Amino acid sequence: MKEGLVIKSTGSWYLVQPDDGEPVSCKIKGRFRLDDLKSTNPVAVGDRVKYSLDPQMQVGVIKEILERRNFIVRRASNLSRQTQILAANIDQAILVATINYPVTTPVFIDRFLATTEAYDIPTTIIFNKLDRYDHYHKDQLMETIKIYKNIGYNVLTTSAKQDRDFDAVKKLLKDKISLLAGHSGVGKSTLVNRVEPSLNLKTAKISEAHKTGRHTTTFTEMHPLGFGGYIIDTPGIRGFGLFNIEKEELAHFFREIFKYTSQCRYYNCTHLHEPGCAVKDAVEKGEIASTRYNSYVSIFLNRDEKFR
Ligand SMILES: Nc1nc2c(ncn2[C@@H]2O[C@H](COP(=O)(O)OP(=O)(O)OP(=O)(O)O)[C@@H](O)[C@H]2O)c(=O)[nH]1
Ligand SMILES: [Mg+2]
Ligand SMILES: [Zn+2]
């Protein structure tokens, strides 16, 4: 049996990079134990796997997934209870967001951050398309950046189409395995091309009528970076579900909200309507951003589907 790293997944076949030699196309056979996840893709990009090779067919069969250091999942689609593993064994997640073209809503950002918080994965937000924003968008951008910096998230801004200097992004990516996520059309693949031009990934214009992307990247794929590290480009996310998180635990994954929860009058306070709620007090005093609190409430009540 050979061992290798899954560098591409289409859902039905996988590209596995052995430690020596060329990547091999592999299929899955057999059953995998899966932490009770109902996953549509048991094997994910970033997994280390054992596979057997049929020398005549030049295809492999994945027999075993080696233990994962971590992984990140999302709901396969809005209505589905099935999950999809976005990637495994990553050092960090990068959410590419845009104020407009397309719109990335606060609740989408907060859902992503709560998820990476739950999986304990360091996360950076990159706001892209700075060149396209008018004054109103720029004000909105500054406000948004302030909120996330205040609660301790790393935030960068880029104009992937125009910037000459990508040193900050390169520094962030160097020698790490990074997952790049965000809505379709925000410029994930464009950014990857700018930091590693030899990759020449496919990108496409957003629909100007709907201001949404066209799902140009269709498969999750890991790319080596010439200056060290790997980047995982993913197809644009429509919805983003949280997994294995009980409602009662949701506040744990909003770091600034969590800080106040021990001061609530009731130990089982949901921070929605109880008297003596330290979280609501902090929102009123402006110590917790109201957009963050609103995201907490809409995720708690499962009302945010329509905002995605
Ligand atoms: N004006 C402007 N356009 C950008 C910028 N970054 C990317 N774009 C454009 O936005 C469009 C979408 O970019 P992609 O890189 O394909 O977006 P993506 O996030 O990879 O989209 P999916 O693969 O569908 O998930 C392309 O036409 C890019 O040229 C930017 O900073 N400014
Ligand atoms: Mg893309
Ligand atoms: Zn409370």
Side-chain angles (χ1 to χ4, degrees):
M1 276 230 277
K2 292 196 60 134
E3 207 182 295
L5 174 70
V6 178
I7 57 172
K8 182 172 181 175
S9 154
T10 70
S12 55
W13 63 269
Y14 302 88
L15 200 60
V16 178
Q17 173 70 63
D19 295 330
D20 50 8
E22 292 297 303
V24 181
S25 288
C26 290
K27 298 256 176 206
I28 310 180
K29 225 175 236 171
R31 287 160 53 87
F32 294 95
R33 270 185 301 118
L34 265 174
D35 302 342
D36 71 18
L37 283 171
K38 283 194 200 122
S39 173
T40 55
N41 63 330
V43 177
V45 168
D47 270 328
R48 283 199 74 84
V49 294
K50 285 189 174 162
Y51 64 97
S52 64
L53 193 60
D54 178 336
Q56 254 115 56
M57 310 273 287
Q58 284 300 312
V59 293
V61 177
I62 295 174
K63 296 282 175 63
E64 191 183 332
I65 308 173
L66 302 191
E67 198 182 336
R68 287 179 179 135
R69 184 155 58 90
N70 63 25
F71 60 92
I72 181 164
V73 297
R74 64 154 164 153
R75 196 177 309 170
S77 76
N78 267 356
L79 297 173
S80 168
R81 302 263 4 128
Q82 285 207 309
T83 64
Q84 188 183 21
I85 303 172
L86 271 181
N89 302 319
I90 59 175
D91 294 318
Q92 63 177 343
I94 298 169
L95 179 66
V96 183
T98 40
I99 297 295
N100 205 345
Y101 319 109
V103 172
T104 306
T105 60
V107 71
F108 180 82
I109 295 175
D110 294 334
R111 214 174 227 285
F112 187 85
L113 295 180
T115 303
T116 54
E117 199 86 13
Y119 290 106
D120 213 9
I121 295 166
T123 305
T124 294
I125 310 170
I126 297 184
F127 288 98
N128 188 34
K129 303 207 183 183
L130 254 67
D131 58 291
R132 283 201 74 167
Y133 302 150
D134 61 20
H135 288 296
Y136 174 76
H137 293 138
K138 279 192 176 132
D139 286 349
Q140 210 183 324
L141 175 68
M142 290 310 144
E143 273 300 303
T144 310
I145 290 174
K146 210 163 72 188
I147 290 169
Y148 292 105
K149 280 196 169 164
N150 272 342
I151 51 181
Y153 284 103
N154 187 28
V155 181
L156 294 177
T157 56
T158 51
S159 184
K161 246 182 144 170
Q162 294 190 343
D163 287 347
R164 302 231 168 121
D165 173 9
F166 283 89
D167 287 356
V169 181
K170 285 184 179 169
K171 201 173 144 202
L172 178 71
L173 299 176
K174 190 173 160 43
D175 299 332
K176 295 209 175 90
I177 300 175
S178 308
L179 170 81
L180 211 54
H183 282 314
S184 178
V186 295
K188 298 178 294 296
S189 302
T190 307
L191 257 173
V192 177
N193 284 338
R194 292 307 299 274
V195 296
E196 190 58 63
S198 63
L199 291 171
N200 202 11
L201 305 180
K202 204 163 130 197
T203 64
K205 279 203 173 111
I206 62 167
S207 149
E208 287 300 330
H210 300 100
K211 307 239 184 320
T212 54
R214 300 167 189 268
H215 292 274
T216 309
T217 304
T218 44
F219 302 120
T220 300
E221 188 165 2
M222 183 189 277
H223 307 281
L225 297 168
F227 51 88
Y230 292 89
I231 191 144
I232 303 172
D233 190 16
T234 62
I237 298 174
R238 286 200 189 88
F240 199 91
L242 292 166
F243 288 91
N244 307 330
I245 298 176
E246 298 298 320
K247 274 188 177 186
E248 294 67 33
E249 280 194 343
L250 181 61
H252 294 222
F253 309 119
F254 281 72
R255 31 172 94 161
E256 79 285 29
I257 291 181
F258 181 62
K259 278 199 286 192
Y260 289 90
T261 54
S262 62
Q263 298 162 38
C264 293
R265 184 177 306 163
Y266 302 110
Y267 80 97
N268 58 352
C269 186
T270 61
H271 325 298
L272 299 186
H273 49 68
E274 292 87 343
C277 173
V279 171
K280 281 197 300 174
D281 279 356
V283 176
E284 260 160 46
K285 286 187 199 142
E287 290 163 9
I288 291 174
S290 55
T291 59
R292 290 277 293 169
Y293 178 70
N294 291 343
S295 294
Y296 168 82
V297 173
S298 60
I299 295 169
F300 191 100
L301 299 175
N302 212 9
R303 275 188 190 150
D304 61 316
E305 310 265 330
K306 64 178 184 292
F307 295 118
R308 291 178 200 162

